[in-house]
């Protein structure tokens, strides 16, 4: 299965979960937060909660200010514990099966910020069996290559090697399997069927898998032999796993993990556009500056008007404009600058070409740095793998 297929599958999963809403975006390009929150049963991140976070972090990450991270479970409880001196750890992950694109980086950039601000440990899971089990033709040999490649991208984001532990399911199996079995014993086939849309024809590995994804949420508690609160930053599609995890961990004597959820970065083709060939739907961390320029110019869905004349007169629509959305969700931290771009585009003062140029430059400045750090990361992999 290629990258496009896997994206379609993932998108399909989310579509199914938020029944009726085709994407987390409505047609106008605005996120229907209330609908999302209701369908998933997560809690909205209210201003009061942001103030509370700010108390400890001094400033708020733009992904919080802009509600890119828009929902949570038990975050208040987690902060209460933190205030009492009961520090939490972070847990997130990536199932290796292909290259990393900008959308993958979004929750990890935020996770790195959380690690810095709270000075906490991060457990990063690479469930190398997940895609192997879920994708028909994928072999472990190929997965191994992606595990390594994906690790480079994670390390390149600057996580603290002293506080960050990579766990690879098949490599750390002797530490994880017993705990996964304790989880699995509390999950019935019908629970898995309902949560993940599996059925009698699904392979038994895929039915078991969610038990492995639950393990890092309490593994540090086992290793340190005391209960430690856990916070999981993740994209909203992973919520079914952690809903199950939260049901089960208290039955095993551990805390329910808290979580904080973000939206997906939309594909280049746009919030309503059709996807073209797999290579064109996303920007990968290894793309060259030329490639980025070509992809944005050729494929980034534009909220501009058909003619320059009309655009100058009526203005563009940044809400559906992919270049603008990439700035808002990932690349322009400065609210004032973003506001100015939004205003100039909406009033027609800024053309689509100008907006695209800003986004291309931002992405390329980021990727130039990222690719350097990614190269340096080759020597650091061992430091990050849990021993
Ligand atoms: N299932 C995730 C994926 O498909 C990988 C993953 C494992 C994960 N543990 C996680 C993601 C914790 C977010 C948080 O990539």
């Amino acid at each position: 299965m290629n990258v496009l297929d896997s994206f379609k599958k993932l998108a399909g999963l989310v579509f199914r979960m938020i029944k009726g809403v085709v994407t987390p975006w409505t047609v106008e390009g605005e996120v229907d937060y209330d609908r999302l929150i209701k369908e998933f049963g997560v809690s909205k991140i209210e201003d009061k909660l942001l103030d509370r976070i700010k108390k400890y972090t001094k400033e708020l990450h733009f992904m919080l200010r802009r509600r890119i991270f828009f929902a949570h479970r038990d975050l208040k409880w987690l902060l209460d514990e933190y205030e009492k001196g009961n520090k939490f750890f972070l847990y997130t992950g990536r199932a290796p099966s292909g290259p990393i694109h900008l959308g993958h980086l979004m929750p990890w950039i935020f996770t790195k910020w959380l690690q810095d601000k709270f000075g906490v440990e991060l457990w990063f899971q690479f469930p190398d069996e997940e895609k192997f089990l879920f994708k028909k033709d994928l072999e472990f040999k190929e997965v191994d290559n992606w595990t390594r490649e994906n690790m480079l991208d994670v390390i390149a984001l600057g996580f603290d090697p002293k506080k960050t532990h990579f766990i690879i399911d098949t490599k750390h199996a002797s530490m994880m399997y017993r705990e996964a079995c304790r989880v699995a014993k509390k999950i019935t086939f019908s629970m898995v069927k309902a949560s993940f849309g599996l059925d009698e024809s699904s392979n038994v590995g895929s039915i078991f898998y969610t038990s492995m994804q639950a393990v890092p949420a309490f593994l540090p508690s086992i290793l340190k032999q005391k209960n430690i609160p856990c916070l999981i930053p993740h994209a909203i599609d992973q919520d079914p796993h952690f809903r199950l995890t939260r049901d089960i961990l208290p039955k095993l004597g551990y805390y329910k993990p808290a979580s904080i959820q973000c939206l997906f970065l939309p594909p280049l083709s746009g919030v309503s556009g059709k996807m073209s060939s797999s290579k064109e739907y996303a920007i990968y961390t290894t793309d060259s500056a030329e490639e980025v320029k070509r992809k944005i110019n050729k494929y980034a869905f534009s909220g501009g008007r058909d003619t320059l004349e009309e655009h100058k007169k009526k203005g563009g629509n940044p809400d559906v404009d992919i270049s603008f959305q990439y700035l808002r969700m990932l690349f322009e931290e400065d609210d004032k600058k973003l506001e100015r771009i939004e205003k100039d585009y909406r009033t027609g003062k800024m053309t689509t070409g100008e907006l695209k140029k800003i986004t291309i430059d931002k992405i390329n400045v980021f990727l130039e740095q990222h690719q350097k750090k990614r190269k340096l990361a080759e020597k650091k992999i061992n430091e990050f793998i849990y021993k």
Side-chain angles (χ1 to χ4, degrees):
M1 201 183 289
N2 63 28
V3 181
L4 177 65
D5 288 339
S6 75
F7 176 76
K8 277 186 184 158
K9 206 173 133 199
L10 181 66
L13 182 73
V14 176
F15 297 169
R16 257 181 286 132
M17 287 189 302
I18 37 185
K19 293 165 216 124
V21 186
V22 179
T23 72
W25 305 61
T26 63
V27 197
E28 293 78 37
E30 256 174 45
V31 183
D32 192 345
Y33 290 108
D34 292 336
R35 179 90 190 253
L36 262 181
I37 285 162
K38 212 174 129 222
E39 296 283 346
F40 279 84
V42 289
S43 308
K44 199 170 175 165
I45 296 183
E46 310 277 3
D47 290 344
K48 232 176 92 190
L49 187 56
L50 288 186
D51 291 341
R52 184 87 198 277
I53 296 172
K54 203 172 166 185
K55 208 174 124 188
Y56 312 110
T57 59
K58 306 289 181 264
E59 50 172 27
L60 285 177
H61 196 273
F62 70 89
M63 290 182 197
L64 284 173
R65 296 200 303 268
R66 294 176 198 161
R67 301 299 203 277
I68 310 302
F69 273 83
F70 68 100
H72 74 99
R73 291 181 192 271
D74 276 344
L75 199 49
K76 282 188 198 110
W77 164 81
L78 188 95
L79 294 172
D80 287 344
E81 290 298 314
Y82 184 77
E83 193 147 317
K84 285 189 243 162
N86 195 9
K87 243 190 188 185
F88 59 92
F89 68 92
L90 293 160
Y91 159 40
T92 196
R94 154 79 184 164
S97 71
I100 298 302
H101 60 64
L102 297 179
H104 295 128
L105 297 182
M106 217 165 67
W108 304 343
I109 288 171
F110 181 67
T111 302
K112 145 93 169 105
W113 180 82
L114 287 174
Q115 177 174 67
D116 289 348
K117 292 291 169 183
F118 287 96
V120 290
E121 298 215 342
L122 164 65
W123 290 75
F124 200 111
Q125 180 180 32
F126 292 90
D128 53 344
E129 83 284 39
E130 180 181 352
K131 295 290 155 63
F132 169 79
L133 291 167
F134 282 86
K135 288 184 169 193
K136 199 165 164 283
D137 296 319
L138 188 63
E139 291 301 331
F140 271 125
K141 214 171 150 225
E142 196 187 327
V143 174
D144 289 346
N145 173 54
W146 289 121
T147 304
R148 198 190 124 80
E149 287 291 314
N150 293 178
M151 282 176 173
L152 298 178
D153 284 298
V154 175
I155 295 170
L157 293 177
F159 289 102
D160 180 350
K162 287 193 201 73
K163 290 195 163 125
T164 306
H165 314 289
F166 288 178
I167 38 179
I168 307 141
D169 288 11
T170 67
K171 308 262 181 313
H172 292 95
S174 60
M175 179 171 76
M176 299 177 75
Y177 184 60
R178 193 193 272 250
E179 306 313 326
C181 286
R182 293 170 72 203
V183 175
K185 201 172 177 175
K186 305 266 183 237
I187 304 178
T188 64
F189 182 29
S190 65
M191 285 158 81
V192 173
K193 271 204 269 194
S195 298
F196 304 101
L198 299 175
D199 60 33
E200 275 74 8
S201 71
S202 308
N203 73 63
V204 294
S206 66
I207 297 162
F208 180 80
Y209 170 71
T210 193
S211 325
M212 287 298 279
Q213 190 158 327
V215 171
F218 65 109
L219 189 63
S221 297
I222 290 170
L223 297 171
K224 302 244 167 72
Q225 297 184 355
K226 66 166 194 211
N227 268 353
I228 312 172
C230 169
L231 173 62
I232 313 174
H234 66 84
I236 187 73
D237 66 308
Q238 296 298 305
D239 192 62
H241 285 292
F242 300 122
R243 216 173 325 178
L244 273 181
T245 306
R246 284 169 52 82
D247 277 350
I248 289 157
L249 293 207
K251 296 181 186 162
L252 300 176
Y254 303 101
Y255 295 128
K256 282 184 183 195
S259 58
I260 182 161
Q261 286 89 18
C262 69
L263 300 166
F264 282 120
L265 190 74
L268 282 173
S269 50
V271 291
S272 54
K274 276 214 183 86
M275 276 172 263
S276 49
S277 92
S278 63
K279 279 209 296 290
E280 317 301 355
Y281 102 83
I283 292 172
Y284 295 96
T285 60
T286 49
D287 281 353
S288 68
E290 266 314 302
E291 187 76 343
V292 170
K293 187 173 166 192
R294 191 184 67 84
K295 283 185 180 176
I296 294 283
N297 280 334
K298 188 155 179 211
Y299 299 105
F301 186 83
S302 160
R305 303 280 177 175
D306 290 341
T307 66
L308 190 61
E309 218 181 7
E310 201 191 345
H311 187 87
K312 291 272 174 208
K313 210 161 87 197
K314 295 185 186 156
N317 182 3
D319 299 335
V320 297
D321 189 286
I322 289 300
S323 308
F324 181 78
Q325 291 306 324
Y326 282 15
L327 290 177
R328 186 178 76 88
M329 297 177 84
L330 209 44
F331 291 109
E332 184 48 79
E333 291 178 40
D334 187 329
D335 288 347
K336 289 223 174 65
K337 280 191 193 160
L338 190 76
E339 253 168 56
R340 206 172 315 129
I341 294 168
E342 179 170 2
K343 192 166 151 254
D344 287 353
Y345 195 61
R346 222 183 268 287
T347 57
K349 202 174 142 194
M350 180 182 284
T351 65
T352 294
E354 286 162 345
L355 174 58
K356 285 195 170 187
K357 173 134 184 14
I358 295 174
T359 304
I360 292 165
D361 290 346
K362 277 273 181 188
I363 295 176
N364 281 338
V365 167
F366 170 82
L367 283 186
E368 197 192 322
Q369 284 303 312
H370 186 81
Q371 286 166 8
K372 272 189 201 146
K373 291 183 204 151
R374 205 176 175 281
K375 183 97 193 88
L376 293 172
E378 287 171 10
K379 288 201 187 69
K380 298 188 193 162
I381 289 184
N382 273 334
E383 264 180 85
F384 281 87
I385 296 178
Y386 182 76
K387 271 165 219 96

